[in-house]
Amino acid sequence: MKRALLVGLFLFFGLVGHAHEIRPAYLQIVQIEQNTYQAYWKIPSMGEAAPKLRLVFTGNPKVTPLQAPQSLNNSIIFRYQLEFPDDLRGQNLYIEGLSNTLIDALVRVEYLNEETVVFMLQPDNDQIIIPGESSSWEVIKTYTILGVEHILFGIDHLLFVLALIIITVGFKKIVKTITAFTLAHSITLSMAVLGYANLPGPPVETVIALSIVFLALEIIKNINGEATLTSRKPWLVAFTFGLLHGFGFAGALMDIGLPQSDIPLALAFFNIGVELGQIAFVLVVLGLIYLLKKFKGWSPAMQKVPAYLIGGVAAYWVIDRVLGFWA
């Protein structure tokens, strides 16, 4: 049983070590003349490898590339000029190849009259008739889903929460700790997106990885009987590092973009989506911890295994992200 558990943990965290956050594809279409638009099409990639996704409009526009495809920040970026014979409103947009992926596609259309349309296409819903304006419900649905997906595929954020739960004893204390983390990252996420504060992405991502290494060390010390700052005041550690994690969330959200006419609404429901995903993760972890405590062979030595794996993965991220400064 012990061997099976260890093998399972190593396999899981081995996959995590190679995992990348799954970001959505992003299509921005900006009207520049009556039937002429400029399109910015960003497809997530791993190095030079990217899924084959093609935009198909029923209006059969004339497509003129504005630049050669560019590789930037794990994405392939295309820029086009689209000339339609008729109005874009009411046309069908289909993303060919999306159904063969696990990727969502956020679409934003900006018209000359300053109306903005925001909607999301998904593998099981890969086409839509382009509306003339967005409803508040569409903004709420789109950014809630984006928030949930961001936290559930943001492996570094999840490992930080996992480490916090492992080191925090007592349900009430866990609730207080997770609440402090939520409050902190909500503050910096909002400040960064609204333009009141900002930090460069690469250093933030590196320090986020360091925060996970720190918690892994705290877990080991705690198992060895040492009183640590995190075991005494986990809410303080959660709040402090949560401020940095908020900047990480903000970087992803600003990459995606916000509808200019509904920034507060989109920001609020992205945050709500993050919290819903986080709550789901916490409940699953608490359930697993409860089951492990029922397992008689779960000795202090075994309890160190998750900490070593969490710390090892995070240390790899630190090195990889530091080396990325000079890439």
Side-chain angles (χ1 to χ4, degrees), residues 233-255:
K233 296 182 179 180
W235 63 269
L236 179 60
V237 173
F239 185 87
T240 302
F241 285 120
L243 294 172
L244 279 169
H245 283 251
F247 285 111
F249 290 134
L253 183 56
M254 287 188 286
D255 282 346

Side-chain angles (χ1 to χ4, degrees), residues 156-157 159-160 202-216 241 244-245 310-311 313-322:
D156 47 1
H157 302 296
L159 282 190
F160 183 84
V204 167
E205 296 298 326
T206 302
V207 177
I208 286 174
L210 275 172
S211 72
I212 303 168
V213 174
F214 170 79
L215 284 185
F241 285 120
L244 279 169
H245 283 251
I310 291 170
V313 169
Y316 167 79
W317 283 335
V318 172
I319 296 169
D320 183 59
R321 291 171 183 181
V322 169

Side-chain angles (χ1 to χ4, degrees), residues 1 20 29 44 55 62 64-65 88 111 144 190 218 271 303 305:
M1 185 68 179
H20 292 270
I29 303 174
L55 305 175
K62 177 185 176 182
T64 305
L88 178 62
Y111 295 108
T144 300
S190 301
E218 293 278 280
N271 235 329
Q303 292 171 29
V305 172

Side-chain angles (χ1 to χ4, degrees), residues 168-230:
T168 306
V169 179
F171 182 74
K172 288 184 178 179
K173 210 170 183 180
I174 289 174
V175 170
K176 184 178 179 181
T177 300
I178 298 302
T179 300
F181 179 64
T182 295
L183 178 61
H185 70 62
S186 297
I187 290 171
T188 46
L189 168 60
S190 301
M191 290 179 67
V193 170
L194 296 176
Y196 295 114
N198 196 18
L199 289 175
V204 167
E205 296 298 326
T206 302
V207 177
I208 286 174
L210 275 172
S211 72
I212 303 168
V213 174
F214 170 79
L215 284 185
L217 292 172
E218 293 278 280
I219 293 171
I220 298 297
K221 291 178 182 178
N222 195 47
I223 293 172
N224 290 336
E226 297 181 40
T228 64
L229 174 63
T230 309

Side-chain angles (χ1 to χ4, degrees), residues 132-182:
E133 59 182 355
S134 281
S135 66
S136 295
W137 167 244
E138 192 66 39
V139 173
I140 289 171
K141 181 178 72 172
T142 296
Y143 281 87
T144 300
I145 292 172
L146 285 172
V148 171
E149 290 182 344
H150 181 71
I151 185 67
L152 292 183
F153 291 110
I155 305 299
D156 47 1
H157 302 296
L158 292 185
L159 282 190
F160 183 84
V161 173
L162 174 60
L164 280 175
I165 295 172
I166 290 174
I167 203 170
T168 306
V169 179
F171 182 74
K172 288 184 178 179
K173 210 170 183 180
I174 289 174
V175 170
K176 184 178 179 181
T177 300
I178 298 302
T179 300
F181 179 64
T182 295

Side-chain angles (χ1 to χ4, degrees), residues 73-146:
N73 296 330
N74 292 320
S75 298
I76 306 296
I77 297 170
F78 304 85
R79 296 181 188 270
Y80 306 107
Q81 180 164 296
L82 307 174
E83 297 178 49
F84 291 87
D86 299 303
D87 194 350
L88 178 62
R89 298 170 181 84
Q91 292 194 30
N92 189 76
L93 167 62
Y94 164 57
I95 301 183
E96 184 180 289
L98 191 66
S99 61
N100 300 323
T101 72
L102 297 175
I103 298 170
D104 294 338
L106 179 67
V107 182
R108 177 176 171 176
V109 183
E110 300 177 12
Y111 295 108
L112 282 173
N113 62 3
E114 298 186 352
E115 289 181 349
T116 301
V117 178
V118 178
F119 54 88
M120 182 182 290
L121 295 178
Q122 297 174 297
D124 59 350
N125 182 27
D126 55 5
Q127 57 186 307
I128 192 173
I129 295 176
I130 299 175
E133 59 182 355
S134 281
S135 66
S136 295
W137 167 244
E138 192 66 39
V139 173
I140 289 171
K141 181 178 72 172
T142 296
Y143 281 87
T144 300
I145 292 172
L146 285 172

Side-chain angles (χ1 to χ4, degrees), residues 1-13 288 291-293 295-299 301-306 309:
M1 185 68 179
K2 289 182 182 180
R3 289 180 180 178
L5 181 60
L6 285 172
V7 169
L9 285 170
F10 274 111
L11 286 175
F12 172 74
F13 283 102
L288 290 174
L291 292 175
L292 284 173
K293 286 182 177 178
F295 174 49
K296 294 181 180 179
W298 189 241
S299 64
M302 290 281 288
Q303 292 171 29
K304 292 181 181 180
V305 172
L309 293 174

